[in-house]
Amino acid sequence: MSSSLRNMPAQASAGTRARPAVGLWAPAGLLVFSGAAALIFQILWIKQLSLIVGVEVHAIAVAVSAFFFGLALGSAWLGRLADRSARPLRLYAGIELGVALLALGVTWALAHGAPLFARAEQAWSWLAWLAMLAVVAIPPILMGGTLPVLLRACGAGQVGRAGGVLYAANTAGAIAGALLPAFVLIPAYGVFGTACVAAGLNLAAAAGAWALQRQAPAAAREGPAGAQALSSEAWLAIGLYSAAGAIAMGYEVLWSQMVVPFMSTRTFAFSVVLAVYLAGLALGAALYARWERRFRDPWRVFALLIAGAGVAALLEVALLGPWLIDAQSLAEAAVRHWSDSGLAGMSARFAVVAAVVVLVPTLLLGAAFPAVLRIAVPPARRGQGAGLVLAGNTLGGIAGTLVVAFVLLPRLGTVRSLVLLAAAACAIGIAAAWRSPAPMARAVSAALLGSALILGWALPSDHLARLLPGAKDGKLVFYEESQGGTVAVVERGAGERRFRRLYIQGVSNSGDAMPSLRYMRLQALLPLIVHAGEPRSALVIGYGTGITAGALSRYPGLDRRVVAELLPGVLRAGALFQGSFGAANDPGLDRRLRDGRRELLASQERYDLITLEPPPPSAAGVVNLYSSDFYQLAAARLNPQGVVAQWLPLPTQNLDDTRALVASFIAVFPHATLWTTELHEMLLIGSLQPMSLDAGRITGRMAQPRLRQALADVGVGSPAALLATWVTDREGLARFAGDAPPVTDDRPAIEYAAWVRPREIVRTLPALLALRGEPPLGADGPALSAEIENERGALDLFYRSALAAYRGNREEWAGNAGALAQLAQANPYLRWFMAGTDSR
């Protein structure tokens, strides 16, 4: 991505109005293609890197920093080279051709690099990381040179205006690059197919530049620029703009926390926010270019823009409140009425919050780029000057991202960190205003600093915590902000009906109410009970409330219990949930702070059970735990007769997407079964070896007192009650999946699926239950068959009644209430529902 894309505000001196070697708008068009391609590649590589190094924030931050370091290096090196080139458009064409080839190569390498990186890291940790970072940084070196080279091609006149137009065009392309992968390209073409589209945009830009060079002999006659050192004033501007870049990227880290109460975890949400962020930069640069002639003092303009952006960012967080949710709802309703599209309506919700939080500051930051170009870039060295401006800003952005994410945010929190950044921005504004001949600029900058300090002092540090979903009607008992995400625990109800919910990034993940207790205990214990061997080891991917991990302690004979969890805050909040059997302080539970996929890649340990309870499959970045590629990796970490148990939520994706999830599971496991663990969830169990159901073995295991009690507490009081949750085998799952394409790393369609239809469970649950047959118990089956039938009848009655209620048929629910109340006397799970509490 030309380093203009994510971070900038910038510099240059007003030069002579020489006739440009080429026009301005044709190069701007080339940068639209280039900017779109660059951001598409960046999005793809971040996604691929999460499959290699895991989604740990530290690992991804280092890898992304390598990308931006390449941009900075390319801006400085190719900007200097451009000033020595007699044919800068031909140089630009070569750069775009190189980007296309190298970027495709990197995409292919990252798609196949996870096993190699994992093995290399075990033997040569630093070398493995350096090699990967070098691979990621090479194409951005060329990307970073696109804007400086084209600025050189545009001639020496009005550097600020030319830089503003080119920057706006490059960023406008990046807006398309932010939206196309999620909304169009990856769902249609997959990851590598999307990379080919991006490379095609680079090739189109190269062809356009080559044609433009042939039609613009004046560019060749301009000749190489002579040597001219940058002035001390230019270097000061570059330094201040670099510091501004650090602050600007710090804003971005904090904005990702600020929008949490108003957003979704879907990829579409993040794409819309990024697009609005880039739109602000593009609009700001374009407006400056339009009105450049009115700005006679670039130092004053630069000072007020940077300081103003800081105060605006702080003021916007102070204004956040419930009113914004109302505004989002109005926008969604209007767009849905106009488009009849749920996805368009939700995207409008995201655009509203993004506009409120990020648009004004980014507009000011975007205008700062051409303003600083006027100060720092001599007309005869515009390639070198622009390259140094972009390089400094990009390097500052790297530093700002790392410092804010890993130092300020964990220690100060979002609000106090933002106050510090706003004050620093005002200090930069004061330093810049001191170079202005206008005393008023210094006074205004100082006034803005005072405003930031007063506003920061008045703003409560827990301002954002009060806005979290559930906090309004509940009691916030835990709240932690970190670079990995916001973790909160909200308590509701009272007495025996008290329960707590876990919120990660503002989205409810789970809790300790009865429905959650039931499915999470079964998530751990059911696959162990039906295991064909003698399980001794288990890995839980995703700690959550700790209920699944804690349930492992109820199974006798497990010598090794391991849990992999990404967020430290989730582990710290675990002690607040009931029903986990003290998992938070269990010395026998090995807690590993690591992404689940990374855990399997980095360790050769094998397990008898790998059970997964990740966030819903449509959440951004989670599909890597639902793909057939992941299941192949998990299968390679199983002992003989080992099993993988995958949580299958029903209401969080449409029926066709559930078919795709099942298809990806059975594509790897030749022996698979499906179980219903709760009204809203099911459980897939797969193995590479046959999994016969032995009634005697199951009965013996459930006779263990601690295990029996753990399941009886959630309504599974006997072997028959457990076997009544059996739905179907692999043959039935294959019929259900039909011709649905499996979810893969290259085709992660579920992450980009259409918005979930209302009450989708009334379609999905009946379709799955229609597959149900008798559990294949062999010779011991008849002894349990009558009891299994009774237990299944109770479940069926409850499921039918609940589905009727979902459809709005309250009469059927009421008609069955008496029978359900009778059944509930001996079943805590049914009793919980019959008490009339809805806390899901």
Side-chain angles (χ1 to χ4, degrees):
M1 143 179 139
S2 175
S3 56
S4 59
L5 291 190
R6 283 188 52 141
N7 335 358
M8 324 302 158
Q11 32 201 296
S13 71
T16 60
R17 296 187 181 181
R19 181 178 179 272
V22 296
L24 186 57
W25 299 107
L30 300 180
L31 281 178
V32 171
F33 286 96
S34 180
L39 200 64
I40 290 172
F41 279 123
Q42 184 195 359
I43 289 172
L44 294 181
W45 293 345
I46 292 174
K47 185 173 186 60
Q48 291 181 299
L49 285 166
S50 70
L51 302 180
I52 297 176
V53 302
V55 294
E56 292 102 324
V57 177
H58 294 77
I60 290 294
V62 170
V64 173
S65 294
F67 182 95
F68 285 105
F69 180 78
L71 291 179
L73 183 61
S75 296
W77 169 52
L78 291 172
R80 182 182 295 272
L81 185 63
D83 284 336
R84 297 198 298 266
S85 173
R87 297 179 180 271
L89 284 169
R90 186 169 296 180
L91 173 62
Y92 175 85
I95 289 173
E96 292 287 7
L97 177 61
V99 170
L101 297 177
L102 289 172
L104 275 181
V106 168
T107 305
W108 182 89
L110 293 178
H112 298 84
L116 178 62
F117 175 79
R119 290 194 297 270
E121 190 186 24
Q122 297 299 314
W124 310 287
S125 177
W126 286 104
L127 287 177
W129 274 92
L130 287 175
M132 187 194 66
L133 298 179
V135 167
V136 174
I138 290 173
I141 292 175
L142 297 181
M143 295 177 184
T146 53
L147 192 148
V149 171
L150 282 186
L151 184 60
R152 153 73 173 160
C154 288
Q158 289 189 290
V159 175
R161 177 176 181 272
V165 170
L166 295 181
Y167 179 79
N170 195 212
T171 311
I175 296 170
L179 297 173
L180 286 173
F183 286 91
V184 179
L185 296 178
I186 295 179
Y189 304 113
V191 171
F192 193 77
T194 299
C196 291
V197 172
L201 295 174
N202 290 124
L203 293 176
W210 190 268
L212 195 60
Q213 180 71 74
R214 291 170 62 89
Q215 298 170 12
R221 288 197 297 268
E222 186 184 353
Q228 179 180 343
L230 297 182
S231 66
S232 59
E233 186 172 73
W235 283 110
L236 175 62
I238 292 172
L240 291 176
Y241 188 57
S242 300
I247 292 172
M249 288 305 289
Y251 294 151
E252 186 177 354
V253 173
L254 300 179
W255 284 332
S256 68
Q257 303 286 336
M258 290 165 55
V259 300
V260 159
F262 312 97
M263 299 295 285
S264 160
T265 55
R266 296 292 293 270
T267 297
F268 301 119
F270 300 112
S271 296
V272 170
V273 172
L274 178 57
V276 173
Y277 176 94
L278 295 168
L281 296 179
L283 182 60
L287 289 175
Y288 184 96
R290 173 69 177 81
W291 294 324
E292 185 199 23
R293 289 189 180 92
R294 302 184 182 182
F295 303 136
R296 300 187 179 277
D297 182 0
W299 275 116
R300 180 182 59 184
V301 174
F302 174 66
L304 297 181
L305 288 173
I306 297 299
V311 174
L314 190 56
L315 182 62
E316 286 174 339
V317 70
L319 294 176
L320 290 179
W323 67 269
L324 182 53
I325 297 176
D326 296 335
Q328 288 180 284
S329 299
L330 289 174
E332 179 185 10
V335 171
R336 291 195 68 162
H337 177 74
W338 170 71
S339 66
D340 195 30
S341 167
L343 178 58
M346 290 303 294
S347 297
R349 291 187 71 91
F350 308 146
V352 167
V353 67
V356 168
V357 174
V358 310
L359 186 59
V360 172
T362 54
L363 189 148
L364 299 176
L365 295 173
F369 176 71
V372 83
L373 283 179
R374 287 186 60 190
I375 302 168
V377 178
R381 303 295 290 178
R382 55 196 178 278
Q384 177 192 15
L388 289 174
V389 166
L390 294 172
N393 187 261
T394 306
L395 291 174
I398 295 172
T401 299
L402 298 177
V403 169
V404 172
F406 301 120
V407 180
L408 298 184
L409 182 58
R411 288 167 172 77
L412 301 180
T414 300
V415 173
R416 292 293 173 254
S417 296
L418 188 62
V419 172
L420 183 60
L421 291 184
C426 292
I428 292 173
I430 292 172
W434 225 258
R435 304 293 299 180
S436 169
M440 184 59 67
R442 303 169 201 169
V444 173
S445 298
L448 289 172
L449 175 59
S451 300
L453 294 175
I454 293 171
L455 187 58
W457 175 80
L459 197 60
S461 60
D462 64 346
H463 177 61
L464 296 178
R466 301 176 185 179
L467 301 176
L468 282 175
K472 179 181 178 182
D473 301 321
K475 176 184 177 183
L476 189 69
V477 297
F478 180 89
Y479 181 72
E480 180 176 299
E481 297 170 337
S482 71
Q483 67 275 14
T486 299
V487 178
V489 178
V490 174
E491 181 177 292
R492 292 180 179 174
E496 294 182 357
R497 309 307 299 177
R498 180 183 61 83
F499 66 95
R500 289 171 173 172
R501 299 290 299 175
L502 174 68
Y503 289 83
I504 300 176
Q505 286 297 84
V507 176
S508 175
N509 273 242
S510 190
D512 57 8
M514 176 57 71
S516 300
L517 281 171
R518 178 182 170 98
Y519 88 80
M520 285 189 279
R521 286 190 183 173
L522 286 171
Q523 187 79 30
L525 295 176
L526 193 157
L528 290 171
I529 293 170
V530 303
H531 198 288
E534 291 298 332
R536 299 294 181 189
S537 58
L539 167 67
V540 178
I541 294 180
Y543 184 81
T545 59
I547 294 170
T548 301
L552 293 177
S553 67
R554 305 296 97 176
Y555 188 87
L558 282 183
D559 302 322
R560 186 158 48 97
R561 294 178 285 124
V562 181
V563 62
E565 170 55 49
L566 179 62
L567 295 176
V570 171
L571 293 176
R572 285 191 278 272
L576 299 172
F577 294 98
Q578 62 181 352
S580 68
F581 303 112
N585 302 305
D586 185 351
L589 182 63
D590 183 3
R591 302 165 195 81
R592 299 179 182 176
L593 198 60
R594 182 180 280 173
D595 160 66
R597 187 158 181 157
R598 175 73 172 148
E599 171 63 28
L600 295 180
L601 277 170
S603 173
Q604 296 299 313
E605 293 178 76
R606 293 177 179 270
Y607 300 92
D608 297 306
L609 166 65
I610 299 174
T611 183
L612 295 98
E613 195 195 334
S618 58
V622 180
V623 71
N624 63 359
L625 296 177
Y626 289 92
S627 70
S628 57
D629 303 81
F630 169 75
Y631 294 135
Q632 289 172 355
L633 173 61
R637 297 292 181 267
L638 292 176
N639 288 321
Q641 297 182 311
V643 299
V644 168
Q646 174 65 281
W647 174 59
L648 184 66
L650 304 185
T652 58
Q653 65 280 330
N654 289 315
L655 177 59
D656 289 341
D657 302 317
T658 301
R659 296 185 197 278
L661 291 172
V662 170
S664 65
F665 193 81
I666 64 175
V668 174
F669 296 109
H671 306 279
T673 57
L674 179 70
W675 306 72
T676 173
T677 53
E678 204 269 310
L679 173 66
H680 308 86
E681 356 272 336
M682 288 196 176
L683 179 65
L684 287 163
I685 301 178
S687 178
L688 300 178
Q689 290 86 32
M691 298 185 298
S692 60
L693 294 180
D694 187 311
R697 183 171 60 227
I698 292 170
T699 300
R701 287 172 175 171
M702 287 196 67
Q704 298 291 331
R706 296 203 307 169
L707 187 154
R708 182 178 67 247
Q709 188 63 51
L711 290 180
D713 288 344
V714 294
V716 184
S718 67
L722 181 82
L723 290 167
T725 66
W726 189 86
V727 178
T728 190
D729 57 13
R730 191 186 186 283
E731 182 180 345
L733 289 170
R735 290 199 308 272
F736 173 76
D739 58 357
V743 178
T744 67
D745 289 348
D746 187 65
R747 296 269 182 169
I750 183 65
E751 191 172 11
Y752 307 96
W755 216 257
V756 182
R757 294 185 294 254
R759 296 183 297 278
E760 186 65 6
I761 192 172
V762 304
R763 302 176 181 87
T764 304
L765 180 58
L768 287 167
L769 292 179
L771 305 169
R772 193 167 57 180
E774 296 298 323
L777 293 173
D780 296 328
L784 287 174
S785 59
E787 191 178 350
I788 292 173
E789 190 63 28
N790 287 336
E791 294 287 351
R792 182 174 285 183
L795 271 182
D796 283 349
L797 179 63
F798 170 58
Y799 284 4
R800 285 198 310 271
S801 303
L803 289 173
Y806 269 117
R807 294 188 183 101
N809 185 357
R810 296 286 176 176
E811 291 78 11
E812 183 173 346
W813 171 267
N816 295 330
L820 287 171
Q822 271 304 111
L823 294 169
Q825 292 179 12
N827 189 312
Y829 173 61
L830 296 181
R831 189 162 60 246
W832 188 90
F833 278 97
M834 296 310 296
T837 300
D838 180 11
S839 65
R840 284 195 61 80

